[in-house]
Amino acid sequence: MSTTATQVISQRPIGLTLFALAIGTFLLGLTEFSVMPMLPLIAETFSVSTGQVGHVISAYAAGVVVGAPLLMMLTPKMNRRSALVLFAGMIFAFNGLSALAASFEQMVLFRFLSGLPHGAYFGTALLFGARLAPEGRSTLYMSRVFSGLTIATIIGVPLATLLAQNISWRWALVLVSAGAFIACLLLWRVLPSLPAEGEGLKKDLAVLKNPLIWPIVGIGVIGFGGVFCLYTYLADTMLAVTKVPDYYISIAMVIFGVGSTVGNWMLGHVRDRVVAKVTGIVLLYCIALAIIYVQAATNVWFLFVVVFLLGASLGLTTIIQAMLMRVANGGHAVIGALLQCAFNSANAIGPVAGSYIFINGYAANDTGYVAALLFGGGFVMWLVSRIQGRQVNQQLESAS
């Protein structure tokens, strides 16, 4: 933990600070994941096809990719508490607009705007947590902040799905907007004032010249596309292949959330020095799981087990962040924003890749094969990162 961080939290319990940060990630999880099971309802409202409505998800992901670096450039010297309150305010405003969308085009635009603060909030909050951590435990503290998203998948997303199915998907987005307003007040009241510690945007951006970071970013871009490929079309799979009543979708969302919470807890306890090895193991696990998903979809109980195990893979988020922080010399604010761009590029890639299953007339559960290919691509990027890391270490040893 840095001296500055220690001083600013000396009068506040760390647990309370991490809880406040996690409230924001809870809302981001609700914003991102709750819309996916609502896609059939949104398609019906605006009279668009299953293939077209996926643009709502891709627009949000595009917003994250644009917003993370943009807001990073606009707020490099802003107090970290003030920046987080600003980002939460944007979540409040743009989700409110999404709830009021009068056309499909407006819905896509407002979802793009809703994505703008996602990466900036996540990157800032995770790094805030890391700065509070003792030596070697940054992964654990970041996992505590990330736990807000996993809890959202247990509680928030299923409740929002039920609200959308029984009243309106618009009210589900109103719920997110109202929660973000409360989060603004909570963050301002609870978080300590924490000055930015960057050395200036130009020096922070210099980290992008480090070749070691790009294969790790590639794991997020390609590998995580497999998660979003399966999750986006899970509702379609359950209705068309598993053939269960629509309320089973909410049950699946809860199971996914429980799995993500368990996975985040388990992987959050991984020591910083072994995060790279664990990442490779988890990617292999995901490849096998995606292939099993194809057959599991024919039996609801088998499918629920696979959905739980798929949720557990979300814990990979914090260990990839820890991998990047280990190889990057400074520029951690840039790294945080870059990683969120990577994951939400995956959020755009996964649904688009999965849509080819529907376009070519295959069954919805065949998205498992597409997801396996994406996870496999992530594993290839992991191998590249390991090879590059060894080469750099050998060069350093030769130089010494």
Side-chain angles (χ1 to χ4, degrees):
M1 188 187 302
S2 70
T3 303
T4 304
T6 304
Q7 292 172 346
V8 298
I9 65 168
S10 59
Q11 297 179 340
R12 299 169 190 256
I14 291 180
L16 183 60
T17 303
L18 295 176
F19 172 78
L21 293 169
I23 291 295
T25 62
F26 173 90
L27 289 166
L28 290 174
L30 190 56
T31 302
E32 183 170 18
F33 286 99
S34 66
V35 173
M36 295 177 187
M38 295 180 202
L39 289 183
L41 301 173
I42 296 173
E44 183 179 354
T45 298
F46 296 116
S47 300
V48 296
S49 68
T50 300
Q52 287 176 300
V53 78
H55 295 161
V56 170
I57 304 299
S58 297
Y60 183 90
V64 180
V65 173
V66 172
L70 178 63
L71 291 174
M72 176 198 70
M73 288 187 290
L74 293 174
T75 62
K77 297 183 179 180
M78 181 180 287
N79 184 285
R80 297 299 85 191
R81 179 180 66 181
S82 300
L84 287 168
V85 172
L86 171 64
F87 303 149
M90 294 173 69
I91 298 170
F92 157 70
F94 296 140
N95 276 282
L97 288 173
S98 297
L100 299 173
S103 67
F104 183 65
E105 291 74 18
Q106 285 187 10
M107 183 64 179
V108 171
L109 172 61
F110 294 149
R111 288 304 292 169
F112 171 80
L113 294 175
S114 297
L116 292 177
H118 182 115
Y121 182 93
F122 241 118
T124 303
L126 287 174
L127 291 171
F128 202 124
R131 284 174 60 184
L132 306 180
E135 184 69 28
R137 303 303 287 162
S138 61
T139 306
L140 177 63
Y141 275 55
M142 288 191 293
S143 74
R144 295 294 182 263
V145 176
F146 185 75
S147 66
L149 184 145
T150 65
I151 294 171
T153 57
I154 298 176
I155 301 172
V157 174
L159 288 177
T161 302
L162 287 173
L163 182 62
Q165 291 172 342
N166 292 283
I167 302 179
S168 171
W169 58 266
R170 296 182 187 274
W171 279 105
L173 292 177
V174 168
L175 179 66
V176 176
S177 183
F181 179 77
I182 296 171
C184 287
L185 302 177
L186 182 65
L187 288 167
W188 185 257
R189 184 74 180 87
V190 172
L191 291 189
S193 175
L194 190 62
E197 288 189 347
E199 300 181 29
L201 184 59
K202 186 176 181 179
K203 289 187 177 180
D204 284 349
L205 288 174
V207 73
L208 300 180
K209 297 179 182 179
N210 183 346
L212 293 178
I213 70 171
W214 292 108
I216 302 173
V217 171
I219 296 172
V221 173
I222 303 172
F224 250 75
V227 177
F228 291 112
C229 178
L230 294 178
Y231 191 90
T232 299
Y233 299 109
L234 178 59
D236 294 283
T237 298
M238 295 184 71
L239 294 175
V241 179
T242 320
K243 298 186 185 301
V244 292
D246 57 7
Y247 67 84
Y248 271 69
I249 298 171
S250 294
I251 298 173
M253 297 301 107
V254 173
I255 292 171
F256 180 90
V258 173
S260 64
T261 301
V262 172
N264 182 59
W265 181 85
M266 291 179 63
L267 294 177
H269 284 78
V270 173
R271 292 282 179 176
D272 292 355
R273 57 186 173 79
V274 295
V275 289
K277 292 180 180 179
V278 173
T279 298
I281 294 170
V282 174
L283 286 167
L284 289 174
Y285 152 91
C286 288
I287 295 169
L289 196 62
I291 295 171
I292 293 170
Y293 174 88
V294 178
Q295 296 302 318
T298 59
N299 181 286
V300 68
W301 303 110
F302 192 11
L303 180 62
F304 281 164
V305 172
V306 173
V307 167
F308 172 86
L309 296 174
L310 177 67
S313 70
L314 281 186
L316 197 60
T317 302
T318 49
I319 65 173
I320 291 178
Q321 175 94 39
M323 280 181 69
L324 279 172
M325 291 176 67
R326 283 181 65 82
V327 301
N329 182 21
H332 288 170
V334 175
I335 289 296
L338 184 63
L339 189 59
Q340 291 308 308
C341 288
F343 286 133
N344 283 275
S345 295
N347 194 3
I349 291 169
V352 170
S355 70
Y356 283 96
I357 291 296
F358 299 93
I359 292 171
N360 291 285
Y362 293 101
N365 57 320
D366 288 331
T367 51
Y369 293 127
V370 178
L373 290 173
L374 290 169
F375 286 130
F379 184 75
V380 170
M381 298 308 297
W382 176 83
L383 288 174
V384 172
S385 73
R386 296 291 284 170
I387 293 170
Q388 284 190 342
R390 289 194 183 100
Q391 289 175 343
V392 169
N393 288 335
Q394 288 173 358
Q395 291 172 358
L396 291 175
E397 289 174 1
S398 298
S400 62

PDB file of all heavy atoms in Angstrom, residues 357-389:
ATOM      1  N   ILE A 357     -24.147 -18.359 -35.966  1.00  0.00           N
ATOM      2  CA  ILE A 357     -24.869 -19.619 -35.748  1.00  0.00           C
ATOM      3  C   ILE A 357     -26.314 -19.477 -36.209  1.00  0.00           C
ATOM      4  O   ILE A 357     -26.875 -20.350 -36.891  1.00  0.00           O
ATOM      5  CB  ILE A 357     -24.802 -20.009 -34.250  1.00  0.00           C
ATOM      6  CG1 ILE A 357     -23.370 -20.407 -33.861  1.00  0.00           C
ATOM      7  CG2 ILE A 357     -25.796 -21.119 -33.921  1.00  0.00           C
ATOM      8  CD1 ILE A 357     -22.853 -21.641 -34.561  1.00  0.00           C
ATOM      9  N   PHE A 358     -26.954 -18.363 -35.859  1.00  0.00           N
ATOM     10  CA  PHE A 358     -28.354 -18.137 -36.212  1.00  0.00           C
ATOM     11  C   PHE A 358     -28.489 -17.802 -37.695  1.00  0.00           C
ATOM     12  O   PHE A 358     -29.422 -18.260 -38.362  1.00  0.00           O
ATOM     13  CB  PHE A 358     -28.931 -17.003 -35.359  1.00  0.00           C
ATOM     14  CG  PHE A 358     -28.908 -17.293 -33.887  1.00  0.00           C
ATOM     15  CD1 PHE A 358     -27.838 -16.884 -33.095  1.00  0.00           C
ATOM     16  CD2 PHE A 358     -29.938 -17.996 -33.283  1.00  0.00           C
ATOM     17  CE1 PHE A 358     -27.801 -17.162 -31.739  1.00  0.00           C
ATOM     18  CE2 PHE A 358     -29.916 -18.277 -31.924  1.00  0.00           C
ATOM     19  CZ  PHE A 358     -28.845 -17.859 -31.152  1.00  0.00           C
ATOM     20  N   ILE A 359     -27.570 -16.997 -38.207  1.00  0.00           N
ATOM     21  CA  ILE A 359     -27.622 -16.607 -39.619  1.00  0.00           C
ATOM     22  C   ILE A 359     -27.528 -17.822 -40.537  1.00  0.00           C
ATOM     23  O   ILE A 359     -28.192 -17.885 -41.581  1.00  0.00           O
ATOM     24  CB  ILE A 359     -26.481 -15.614 -39.934  1.00  0.00           C
ATOM     25  CG1 ILE A 359     -26.729 -14.285 -39.218  1.00  0.00           C
ATOM     26  CG2 ILE A 359     -26.360 -15.387 -41.444  1.00  0.00           C
ATOM     27  CD1 ILE A 359     -25.559 -13.321 -39.281  1.00  0.00           C
ATOM     28  N   ASN A 360     -26.756 -18.820 -40.128  1.00  0.00           N
ATOM     29  CA  ASN A 360     -26.560 -20.018 -40.950  1.00  0.00           C
ATOM     30  C   ASN A 360     -27.486 -21.168 -40.586  1.00  0.00           C
ATOM     31  O   ASN A 360     -27.305 -22.296 -41.056  1.00  0.00           O
ATOM     32  CB  ASN A 360     -25.099 -20.467 -40.861  1.00  0.00           C
ATOM     33  CG  ASN A 360     -24.149 -19.492 -41.549  1.00  0.00           C
ATOM     34  OD1 ASN A 360     -24.073 -19.456 -42.767  1.00  0.00           O
ATOM     35  ND2 ASN A 360     -23.443 -18.685 -40.776  1.00  0.00           N
ATOM     36  N   GLY A 361     -28.448 -20.897 -39.720  1.00  0.00           N
ATOM     37  CA  GLY A 361     -29.497 -21.870 -39.449  1.00  0.00           C
ATOM     38  C   GLY A 361     -29.155 -22.972 -38.469  1.00  0.00           C
ATOM     39  O   GLY A 361     -29.869 -23.966 -38.383  1.00  0.00           O
ATOM     40  N   TYR A 362     -28.096 -22.800 -37.686  1.00  0.00           N
ATOM     41  CA  TYR A 362     -27.747 -23.805 -36.682  1.00  0.00           C
ATOM     42  C   TYR A 362     -28.550 -23.568 -35.402  1.00  0.00           C
ATOM     43  O   TYR A 362     -29.155 -22.509 -35.202  1.00  0.00           O
ATOM     44  CB  TYR A 362     -26.250 -23.761 -36.372  1.00  0.00           C
ATOM     45  CG  TYR A 362     -25.371 -24.186 -37.520  1.00  0.00           C
ATOM     46  CD1 TYR A 362     -24.722 -23.241 -38.320  1.00  0.00           C
ATOM     47  CD2 TYR A 362     -25.195 -25.535 -37.820  1.00  0.00           C
ATOM     48  CE1 TYR A 362     -23.918 -23.625 -39.380  1.00  0.00           C
ATOM     49  CE2 TYR A 362     -24.382 -25.937 -38.880  1.00  0.00           C
ATOM     50  CZ  TYR A 362     -23.752 -24.973 -39.656  1.00  0.00           C
ATOM     51  OH  TYR A 362     -22.957 -25.364 -40.707  1.00  0.00           O
ATOM     52  N   ALA A 363     -28.525 -24.560 -34.510  1.00  0.00           N
ATOM     53  CA  ALA A 363     -29.250 -24.440 -33.244  1.00  0.00           C
ATOM     54  C   ALA A 363     -28.514 -23.483 -32.306  1.00  0.00           C
ATOM     55  O   ALA A 363     -27.285 -23.319 -32.394  1.00  0.00           O
ATOM     56  CB  ALA A 363     -29.380 -25.812 -32.588  1.00  0.00           C
ATOM     57  N   ALA A 364     -29.269 -22.865 -31.384  1.00  0.00           N
ATOM     58  CA  ALA A 364     -28.701 -21.851 -30.489  1.00  0.00           C
ATOM     59  C   ALA A 364     -27.566 -22.408 -29.627  1.00  0.00           C
ATOM     60  O   ALA A 364     -26.615 -21.687 -29.306  1.00  0.00           O
ATOM     61  CB  ALA A 364     -29.797 -21.264 -29.601  1.00  0.00           C
ATOM     62  N   ASN A 365     -27.662 -23.685 -29.240  1.00  0.00           N
ATOM     63  CA  ASN A 365     -26.617 -24.251 -28.378  1.00  0.00           C
ATOM     64  C   ASN A 365     -25.292 -24.458 -29.107  1.00  0.00           C
ATOM     65  O   ASN A 365     -24.248 -24.643 -28.470  1.00  0.00           O
ATOM     66  CB  ASN A 365     -27.076 -25.569 -27.755  1.00  0.00           C
ATOM     67  CG  ASN A 365     -27.487 -26.602 -28.787  1.00  0.00           C
ATOM     68  OD1 ASN A 365     -28.119 -26.272 -29.784  1.00  0.00           O
ATOM     69  ND2 ASN A 365     -27.156 -27.856 -28.557  1.00  0.00           N
ATOM     70  N   ASP A 366     -25.311 -24.384 -30.447  1.00  0.00           N
ATOM     71  CA  ASP A 366     -24.061 -24.504 -31.199  1.00  0.00           C
ATOM     72  C   ASP A 366     -23.156 -23.302 -30.996  1.00  0.00           C
ATOM     73  O   ASP A 366     -21.996 -23.315 -31.451  1.00  0.00           O
ATOM     74  CB  ASP A 366     -24.354 -24.697 -32.688  1.00  0.00           C
ATOM     75  CG  ASP A 366     -24.906 -26.084 -32.989  1.00  0.00           C
ATOM     76  OD1 ASP A 366     -24.567 -27.021 -32.251  1.00  0.00           O
ATOM     77  OD2 ASP A 366     -25.678 -26.225 -33.953  1.00  0.00           O
ATOM     78  N   THR A 367     -23.645 -22.271 -30.325  1.00  0.00           N
ATOM     79  CA  THR A 367     -22.770 -21.167 -29.940  1.00  0.00           C
ATOM     80  C   THR A 367     -21.622 -21.664 -29.050  1.00  0.00           C
ATOM     81  O   THR A 367     -20.597 -20.995 -28.926  1.00  0.00           O
ATOM     82  CB  THR A 367     -23.553 -20.071 -29.193  1.00  0.00           C
ATOM     83  OG1 THR A 367     -24.318 -20.677 -28.128  1.00  0.00           O
ATOM     84  CG2 THR A 367     -24.500 -19.331 -30.137  1.00  0.00           C
ATOM     85  N   GLY A 368     -21.793 -22.845 -28.442  1.00  0.00           N
ATOM     86  CA  GLY A 368     -20.724 -23.434 -27.631  1.00  0.00           C
ATOM     87  C   GLY A 368     -19.464 -23.685 -28.447  1.00  0.00           C
ATOM     88  O   GLY A 368     -18.345 -23.489 -27.957  1.00  0.00           O
ATOM     89  N   TYR A 369     -19.622 -24.106 -29.712  1.00  0.00           N
ATOM     90  CA  TYR A 369     -18.455 -24.350 -30.555  1.00  0.00           C
ATOM     91  C   TYR A 369     -17.732 -23.039 -30.874  1.00  0.00           C
ATOM     92  O   TYR A 369     -16.497 -22.987 -30.893  1.00  0.00           O
ATOM     93  CB  TYR A 369     -18.881 -25.032 -31.857  1.00  0.00           C
ATOM     94  CG  TYR A 369     -19.406 -26.438 -31.667  1.00  0.00           C
ATOM     95  CD1 TYR A 369     -20.645 -26.811 -32.187  1.00  0.00           C
ATOM     96  CD2 TYR A 369     -18.663 -27.392 -30.963  1.00  0.00           C
ATOM     97  CE1 TYR A 369     -21.132 -28.099 -32.021  1.00  0.00           C
ATOM     98  CE2 TYR A 369     -19.141 -28.685 -30.794  1.00  0.00           C
ATOM     99  CZ  TYR A 369     -20.378 -29.033 -31.326  1.00  0.00           C
ATOM    100  OH  TYR A 369     -20.863 -30.305 -31.158  1.00  0.00           O
ATOM    101  N   VAL A 370     -18.524 -21.995 -31.140  1.00  0.00           N
ATOM    102  CA  VAL A 370     -17.923 -20.687 -31.417  1.00  0.00           C
ATOM    103  C   VAL A 370     -17.163 -20.194 -30.184  1.00  0.00           C
ATOM    104  O   VAL A 370     -16.046 -19.681 -30.280  1.00  0.00           O
ATOM    105  CB  VAL A 370     -19.004 -19.670 -31.822  1.00  0.00           C
ATOM    106  CG1 VAL A 370     -18.387 -18.289 -32.058  1.00  0.00           C
ATOM    107  CG2 VAL A 370     -19.745 -20.141 -33.071  1.00  0.00           C
ATOM    108  N   ALA A 371     -17.784 -20.360 -29.010  1.00  0.00           N
ATOM    109  CA  ALA A 371     -17.146 -19.933 -27.760  1.00  0.00           C
ATOM    110  C   ALA A 371     -15.843 -20.694 -27.528  1.00  0.00           C
ATOM    111  O   ALA A 371     -14.845 -20.118 -27.070  1.00  0.00           O
ATOM    112  CB  ALA A 371     -18.098 -20.141 -26.585  1.00  0.00           C
ATOM    113  N   ALA A 372     -15.828 -21.988 -27.842  1.00  0.00           N
ATOM    114  CA  ALA A 372     -14.609 -22.787 -27.664  1.00  0.00           C
ATOM    115  C   ALA A 372     -13.473 -22.251 -28.530  1.00  0.00           C
ATOM    116  O   ALA A 372     -12.310 -22.198 -28.090  1.00  0.00           O
ATOM    117  CB  ALA A 372     -14.890 -24.248 -28.006  1.00  0.00           C
ATOM    118  N   LEU A 373     -13.801 -21.830 -29.754  1.00  0.00           N
ATOM    119  CA  LEU A 373     -12.784 -21.248 -30.628  1.00  0.00           C
ATOM    120  C   LEU A 373     -12.240 -19.940 -30.043  1.00  0.00           C
ATOM    121  O   LEU A 373     -11.035 -19.670 -30.104  1.00  0.00           O
ATOM    122  CB  LEU A 373     -13.368 -21.002 -32.021  1.00  0.00           C
ATOM    123  CG  LEU A 373     -13.671 -22.252 -32.863  1.00  0.00           C
ATOM    124  CD1 LEU A 373     -14.395 -21.860 -34.156  1.00  0.00           C
ATOM    125  CD2 LEU A 373     -12.374 -23.004 -33.189  1.00  0.00           C
ATOM    126  N   LEU A 374     -13.131 -19.135 -29.474  1.00  0.00           N
ATOM    127  CA  LEU A 374     -12.702 -17.867 -28.877  1.00  0.00           C
ATOM    128  C   LEU A 374     -11.822 -18.110 -27.654  1.00  0.00           C
ATOM    129  O   LEU A 374     -10.784 -17.454 -27.480  1.00  0.00           O
ATOM    130  CB  LEU A 374     -13.930 -17.031 -28.505  1.00  0.00           C
ATOM    131  CG  LEU A 374     -14.725 -16.478 -29.696  1.00  0.00           C
ATOM    132  CD1 LEU A 374     -16.056 -15.896 -29.222  1.00  0.00           C
ATOM    133  CD2 LEU A 374     -13.922 -15.424 -30.443  1.00  0.00           C
ATOM    134  N   PHE A 375     -12.235 -19.041 -26.797  1.00  0.00           N
ATOM    135  CA  PHE A 375     -11.393 -19.387 -25.641  1.00  0.00           C
ATOM    136  C   PHE A 375     -10.037 -19.921 -26.103  1.00  0.00           C
ATOM    137  O   PHE A 375      -8.998 -19.632 -25.500  1.00  0.00           O
ATOM    138  CB  PHE A 375     -12.085 -20.434 -24.773  1.00  0.00           C
ATOM    139  CG  PHE A 375     -13.235 -19.915 -23.954  1.00  0.00           C
ATOM    140  CD1 PHE A 375     -14.466 -20.566 -23.972  1.00  0.00           C
ATOM    141  CD2 PHE A 375     -13.106 -18.787 -23.166  1.00  0.00           C
ATOM    142  CE1 PHE A 375     -15.523 -20.110 -23.215  1.00  0.00           C
ATOM    143  CE2 PHE A 375     -14.157 -18.312 -22.398  1.00  0.00           C
ATOM    144  CZ  PHE A 375     -15.370 -18.969 -22.426  1.00  0.00           C
ATOM    145  N   GLY A 376     -10.058 -20.712 -27.194  1.00  0.00           N
ATOM    146  CA  GLY A 376      -8.811 -21.233 -27.743  1.00  0.00           C
ATOM    147  C   GLY A 376      -7.897 -20.118 -28.222  1.00  0.00           C
ATOM    148  O   GLY A 376      -6.680 -20.166 -28.031  1.00  0.00           O
ATOM    149  N   GLY A 377      -8.491 -19.093 -28.849  1.00  0.00           N
ATOM    150  CA  GLY A 377      -7.711 -17.938 -29.264  1.00  0.00           C
ATOM    151  C   GLY A 377      -7.086 -17.230 -28.073  1.00  0.00           C
ATOM    152  O   GLY A 377      -5.933 -16.773 -28.133  1.00  0.00           O
ATOM    153  N   GLY A 378      -7.840 -17.147 -26.973  1.00  0.00           N
ATOM    154  CA  GLY A 378      -7.300 -16.561 -25.744  1.00  0.00           C
ATOM    155  C   GLY A 378      -6.133 -17.357 -25.210  1.00  0.00           C
ATOM    156  O   GLY A 378      -5.142 -16.783 -24.719  1.00  0.00           O
ATOM    157  N   PHE A 379      -6.218 -18.691 -25.314  1.00  0.00           N
ATOM    158  CA  PHE A 379      -5.119 -19.545 -24.838  1.00  0.00           C
ATOM    159  C   PHE A 379      -3.867 -19.348 -25.699  1.00  0.00           C
ATOM    160  O   PHE A 379      -2.745 -19.340 -25.176  1.00  0.00           O
ATOM    161  CB  PHE A 379      -5.544 -21.016 -24.852  1.00  0.00           C
ATOM    162  CG  PHE A 379      -4.511 -21.950 -24.286  1.00  0.00           C
ATOM    163  CD1 PHE A 379      -4.300 -22.019 -22.913  1.00  0.00           C
ATOM    164  CD2 PHE A 379      -3.737 -22.737 -25.119  1.00  0.00           C
ATOM    165  CE1 PHE A 379      -3.329 -22.869 -22.381  1.00  0.00           C
ATOM    166  CE2 PHE A 379      -2.771 -23.598 -24.604  1.00  0.00           C
ATOM    167  CZ  PHE A 379      -2.569 -23.656 -23.228  1.00  0.00           C
ATOM    168  N   VAL A 380      -4.059 -19.170 -27.002  1.00  0.00           N
ATOM    169  CA  VAL A 380      -2.910 -18.896 -27.885  1.00  0.00           C
ATOM    170  C   VAL A 380      -2.229 -17.599 -27.461  1.00  0.00           C
ATOM    171  O   VAL A 380      -0.992 -17.520 -27.396  1.00  0.00           O
ATOM    172  CB  VAL A 380      -3.365 -18.816 -29.361  1.00  0.00           C
ATOM    173  CG1 VAL A 380      -2.232 -18.286 -30.239  1.00  0.00           C
ATOM    174  CG2 VAL A 380      -3.816 -20.182 -29.846  1.00  0.00           C
ATOM    175  N   MET A 381      -3.025 -16.576 -27.146  1.00  0.00           N
ATOM    176  CA  MET A 381      -2.445 -15.307 -26.695  1.00  0.00           C
ATOM    177  C   MET A 381      -1.711 -15.488 -25.365  1.00  0.00           C
ATOM    178  O   MET A 381      -0.679 -14.860 -25.120  1.00  0.00           O
ATOM    179  CB  MET A 381      -3.544 -14.246 -26.553  1.00  0.00           C
ATOM    180  CG  MET A 381      -4.265 -13.904 -27.841  1.00  0.00           C
ATOM    181  SD  MET A 381      -3.153 -13.467 -29.199  1.00  0.00           S
ATOM    182  CE  MET A 381      -2.379 -11.986 -28.551  1.00  0.00           C
ATOM    183  N   TRP A 382      -2.223 -16.358 -24.517  1.00  0.00           N
ATOM    184  CA  TRP A 382      -1.539 -16.646 -23.250  1.00  0.00           C
ATOM    185  C   TRP A 382      -0.181 -17.287 -23.509  1.00  0.00           C
ATOM    186  O   TRP A 382       0.815 -16.921 -22.864  1.00  0.00           O
ATOM    187  CB  TRP A 382      -2.412 -17.570 -22.392  1.00  0.00           C
ATOM    188  CG  TRP A 382      -1.752 -17.998 -21.110  1.00  0.00           C
ATOM    189  CD1 TRP A 382      -1.705 -17.298 -19.938  1.00  0.00           C
ATOM    190  CD2 TRP A 382      -1.042 -19.213 -20.868  1.00  0.00           C
ATOM    191  NE1 TRP A 382      -1.009 -17.992 -18.985  1.00  0.00           N
ATOM    192  CE2 TRP A 382      -0.585 -19.184 -19.528  1.00  0.00           C
ATOM    193  CE3 TRP A 382      -0.754 -20.331 -21.642  1.00  0.00           C
ATOM    194  CZ2 TRP A 382       0.141 -20.220 -18.958  1.00  0.00           C
ATOM    195  CZ3 TRP A 382      -0.015 -21.379 -21.090  1.00  0.00           C
ATOM    196  CH2 TRP A 382       0.414 -21.313 -19.755  1.00  0.00           C
ATOM    197  N   LEU A 383      -0.142 -18.228 -24.464  1.00  0.00           N
ATOM    198  CA  LEU A 383       1.129 -18.862 -24.810  1.00  0.00           C
ATOM    199  C   LEU A 383       2.134 -17.832 -25.324  1.00  0.00           C
ATOM    200  O   LEU A 383       3.321 -17.870 -24.968  1.00  0.00           O
ATOM    201  CB  LEU A 383       0.907 -19.943 -25.882  1.00  0.00           C
ATOM    202  CG  LEU A 383       0.212 -21.231 -25.433  1.00  0.00           C
ATOM    203  CD1 LEU A 383      -0.055 -22.124 -26.633  1.00  0.00           C
ATOM    204  CD2 LEU A 383       1.054 -21.971 -24.398  1.00  0.00           C
ATOM    205  N   VAL A 384       1.662 -16.913 -26.160  1.00  0.00           N
ATOM    206  CA  VAL A 384       2.538 -15.862 -26.683  1.00  0.00           C
ATOM    207  C   VAL A 384       3.095 -15.020 -25.541  1.00  0.00           C
ATOM    208  O   VAL A 384       4.283 -14.678 -25.517  1.00  0.00           O
ATOM    209  CB  VAL A 384       1.778 -14.975 -27.694  1.00  0.00           C
ATOM    210  CG1 VAL A 384       2.615 -13.757 -28.087  1.00  0.00           C
ATOM    211  CG2 VAL A 384       1.402 -15.782 -28.941  1.00  0.00           C
ATOM    212  N   SER A 385       2.220 -14.679 -24.584  1.00  0.00           N
ATOM    213  CA  SER A 385       2.671 -13.854 -23.455  1.00  0.00           C
ATOM    214  C   SER A 385       3.723 -14.575 -22.628  1.00  0.00           C
ATOM    215  O   SER A 385       4.687 -13.957 -22.147  1.00  0.00           O
ATOM    216  CB  SER A 385       1.480 -13.467 -22.564  1.00  0.00           C
ATOM    217  OG  SER A 385       1.010 -14.567 -21.801  1.00  0.00           O
ATOM    218  N   ARG A 386       3.577 -15.878 -22.468  1.00  0.00           N
ATOM    219  CA  ARG A 386       4.548 -16.651 -21.688  1.00  0.00           C
ATOM    220  C   ARG A 386       5.894 -16.717 -22.414  1.00  0.00           C
ATOM    221  O   ARG A 386       6.954 -16.595 -21.799  1.00  0.00           O
ATOM    222  CB  ARG A 386       4.019 -18.068 -21.442  1.00  0.00           C
ATOM    223  CG  ARG A 386       2.753 -18.118 -20.598  1.00  0.00           C
ATOM    224  CD  ARG A 386       3.013 -17.714 -19.162  1.00  0.00           C
ATOM    225  NE  ARG A 386       3.678 -18.770 -18.420  1.00  0.00           N
ATOM    226  CZ  ARG A 386       4.186 -18.632 -17.215  1.00  0.00           C
ATOM    227  NH1 ARG A 386       4.132 -17.441 -16.619  1.00  0.00           N
ATOM    228  NH2 ARG A 386       4.760 -19.644 -16.587  1.00  0.00           N
ATOM    229  N   ILE A 387       5.845 -16.928 -23.735  1.00  0.00           N
ATOM    230  CA  ILE A 387       7.080 -16.994 -24.523  1.00  0.00           C
ATOM    231  C   ILE A 387       7.810 -15.658 -24.477  1.00  0.00           C
ATOM    232  O   ILE A 387       9.029 -15.595 -24.263  1.00  0.00           O
ATOM    233  CB  ILE A 387       6.765 -17.392 -25.981  1.00  0.00           C
ATOM    234  CG1 ILE A 387       6.255 -18.847 -26.024  1.00  0.00           C
ATOM    235  CG2 ILE A 387       8.000 -17.229 -26.864  1.00  0.00           C
ATOM    236  CD1 ILE A 387       5.685 -19.259 -27.360  1.00  0.00           C
ATOM    237  N   GLN A 388       7.064 -14.572 -24.656  1.00  0.00           N
ATOM    238  CA  GLN A 388       7.681 -13.242 -24.603  1.00  0.00           C
ATOM    239  C   GLN A 388       8.276 -12.953 -23.232  1.00  0.00           C
ATOM    240  O   GLN A 388       9.366 -12.384 -23.119  1.00  0.00           O
ATOM    241  CB  GLN A 388       6.645 -12.166 -24.952  1.00  0.00           C
ATOM    242  CG  GLN A 388       6.323 -12.069 -26.427  1.00  0.00           C
ATOM    243  CD  GLN A 388       5.495 -10.836 -26.739  1.00  0.00           C
ATOM    244  OE1 GLN A 388       4.892 -10.242 -25.854  1.00  0.00           O
ATOM    245  NE2 GLN A 388       5.448 -10.461 -28.002  1.00  0.00           N
ATOM    246  N   GLY A 389       7.552 -13.358 -22.186  1.00  0.00           N
ATOM    247  CA  GLY A 389       8.039 -13.136 -20.830  1.00  0.00           C
ATOM    248  C   GLY A 389       9.350 -13.853 -20.580  1.00  0.00           C
ATOM    249  O   GLY A 389      10.282 -13.287 -19.969  1.00  0.00           O
TER     250      GLY A 389
END
